[in-house]
Amino acid sequence: MNRSARREGGANRAAVMGPWRFVLWFGTVSLLADVVYEGARSITGPLLASLGASALVVGVVTGAGEAAALGLRLVSGPVADRTRRFWGLAIAGYALTVVSVPLLGVPGVLWAACVLVIAERVGKAVRSPAKDTLLSHATAATGRGRGFAVHEALDQIGAIAGPLLVAGVLALTGNDYGPALGVLAGPGIAVLLLLCWLRARVPDPEAYEREVKAPAPTAADTRGGRLPRAFWTYAAFTAATTTGFATFGVLSFHLVQRHLLTPAWVPVLYAAAMAVDAVAALATGWLYDRYGPRVLSGLPLLTAGVVALAFTNTVAIAVAGSLLWGAAMGIQESTLRATVADLVPSGRRATAYGLFAGVVGAASLAGGALTGGLYGYSIPVLIAVVVAIQVLAVALLAVIRVDRR
């Protein structure tokens, strides 16, 4: 069969489900997965603290988890582009996550819990470049910003439901982490079933992009090409603003250790932050399709605002800082990814997502260690350092010129 025939066949296979329906179903997969892993992440700080972890350990472990989730994409991204097995990698990554989370409530010892926290993030590393590439094909037809934003908003419904589910079980069991994490096995099974169904319905999502653009270069045509310079300057900006971004593990550690919130209320606050995340994603996604990457200028301001407010000893101000954290996450998880899709052609996109995540992963590890370490030393120094880093991020953004496709 020649290349044009294969493309026509791929288009017919994608036509059984429109691009918006694909985005919505893929968003439902993410919704269910977020019930699982965001439910767990909402209590990571208090869970590790209950096992004897210090603020530094919480910061390093959660930062290392984020670094694994991002840095290992340096491998999974090129593998996805080379093998073109996007669905297989996506399913494998989700499987690792949904198995690790329920087990997190079992060990009762700090080192095992730390391993499982990082293992859950490794699952994200395996699936994310492939998942983002699959989604990017459909968003070529829906609009990059809006497609990624709607996916992120659905994602955040799960990020709200998961922490609330965990909070409810904690309240009923007297803060017993085992049942609170074990209940997340149910939606994890649903994730895998829905993914397999979606793969059978749309085996070739790249057909969406071929229908609205000139035929994309094949992997063989683009494997040796260089990524655009604009991609690297954009990655540098993102790394700078991520370095000063505190993990929720450190934020929740502060809230519980300073007796601002009980452990059962921490997931409720996390759910509220995820609601803000969804609103921020939808707003910036719409603005991105209208105005382009300029909308990212608010991200360094939000990042600096998080540490300035969240590490106070006043409940209302600390809660406001945590909600700002949610807004910044909404931009990071939607518009940042949409921009990468506009910068890089299809044949190199999974590699670009992997490299982009690797840069951000190194920044996440530095940021987790920075905020955890400086938190124990001096909160005013922590705030000053993060603000200085965000000034650098603003300067980098000012020199970035992105030509949207």
Side-chain angles (χ1 to χ4, degrees):
M1 183 182 293
N2 61 32
R3 183 179 298 177
S4 63
R6 287 196 301 269
R7 285 172 180 161
E8 183 179 352
N12 290 335
R13 289 195 296 272
V16 300
M17 182 180 292
W20 269 119
R21 284 187 64 201
F22 181 83
V23 169
L24 292 173
W25 277 116
F26 220 141
T28 303
V29 169
S30 291
L31 184 159
L32 292 168
D34 269 41
V35 171
V36 179
Y37 70 81
E38 296 290 16
R41 289 181 74 197
S42 70
I43 56 170
T44 297
L47 171 65
L48 295 180
S50 73
L51 298 174
S54 66
L56 178 59
V57 170
V58 173
V60 169
V61 170
T62 55
E66 293 309 306
L70 296 167
L72 291 179
R73 297 181 213 185
L74 288 167
V75 177
S76 62
V79 167
D81 272 338
R82 185 169 60 252
T83 65
R84 314 305 288 175
R85 297 183 181 276
F86 300 113
W87 278 118
L89 288 166
I91 292 171
Y94 276 114
L96 179 57
T97 288
V98 302
V99 168
S100 298
V101 166
L103 293 177
L104 188 57
V106 175
V109 293
L110 180 59
W111 71 266
C114 292
V115 168
L116 287 168
V117 167
I118 295 173
E120 183 274 310
R121 297 282 84 192
V122 170
K124 189 173 181 68
V126 172
R127 70 178 179 263
S128 289
K131 180 201 72 174
D132 287 343
T133 301
L134 292 169
L135 184 61
S136 74
H137 296 317
T139 61
T142 64
R144 297 286 192 208
R146 284 171 291 181
F148 274 96
V150 168
H151 177 271
E152 173 66 8
L154 288 169
D155 191 80
Q156 295 317 105
I157 293 174
I160 294 168
L164 291 178
L165 176 61
V166 168
V169 177
L170 284 174
L172 290 173
T173 61
N175 295 328
D176 188 342
Y177 293 107
L181 292 162
V183 75
L184 301 175
I189 294 171
V191 166
L192 299 180
L193 293 175
L194 184 54
L195 268 174
C196 292
W197 172 82
L198 191 57
R199 178 186 185 179
R201 293 280 291 178
V202 188
D204 180 27
E206 192 172 1
Y208 294 125
E209 191 161 350
R210 290 195 295 265
E211 291 172 359
V212 297
K213 293 185 175 183
T218 65
D221 295 331
T222 58
R223 191 176 299 152
R226 293 184 178 182
L227 294 171
R229 177 179 294 181
F231 165 81
W232 292 110
T233 54
Y234 178 67
F237 155 74
T238 307
T241 195
T242 302
T243 299
F245 194 63
T247 66
F248 192 80
V250 177
L251 298 184
S252 60
F253 181 94
H254 170 79
L255 291 167
V256 172
Q257 294 299 110
R258 297 297 177 93
H259 305 291
L260 301 177
L261 292 179
T262 64
W265 276 103
V266 169
V268 176
L269 176 59
Y270 188 84
M274 293 300 96
V276 174
D277 177 318
V279 173
L282 289 170
T284 55
W286 181 84
L287 290 170
Y288 175 82
D289 283 341
R290 190 180 181 99
Y291 300 108
R294 290 180 284 177
V295 301
L296 295 172
S297 59
L299 185 56
L301 299 177
L302 288 173
T303 299
V306 169
V307 293
L309 299 178
F311 292 123
T312 63
N313 291 321
T314 303
V315 174
I317 297 176
V319 166
S322 297
L323 296 179
L324 281 185
W325 179 88
M329 282 294 295
I331 299 173
Q332 289 185 352
E333 293 294 327
S334 59
T335 311
L336 288 182
R337 291 156 56 209
T339 306
V340 172
D342 274 335
L343 286 169
V344 181
S346 175
R348 292 278 286 166
R349 199 169 292 156
T351 298
Y353 275 121
L355 290 170
F356 179 76
V359 171
V360 178
S364 294
L365 178 57
L370 177 74
T371 55
L374 289 181
Y375 174 86
Y377 174 72
S378 170
I379 290 178
V381 171
L382 168 61
I383 294 170
V385 169
V386 170
V387 169
I389 294 171
Q390 298 318 299
V391 170
L392 173 62
V394 171
L396 285 169
L397 183 62
V399 301
I400 293 174
R401 297 292 181 268
V402 179
D403 294 325
R404 296 177 66 207
R405 294 181 183 273

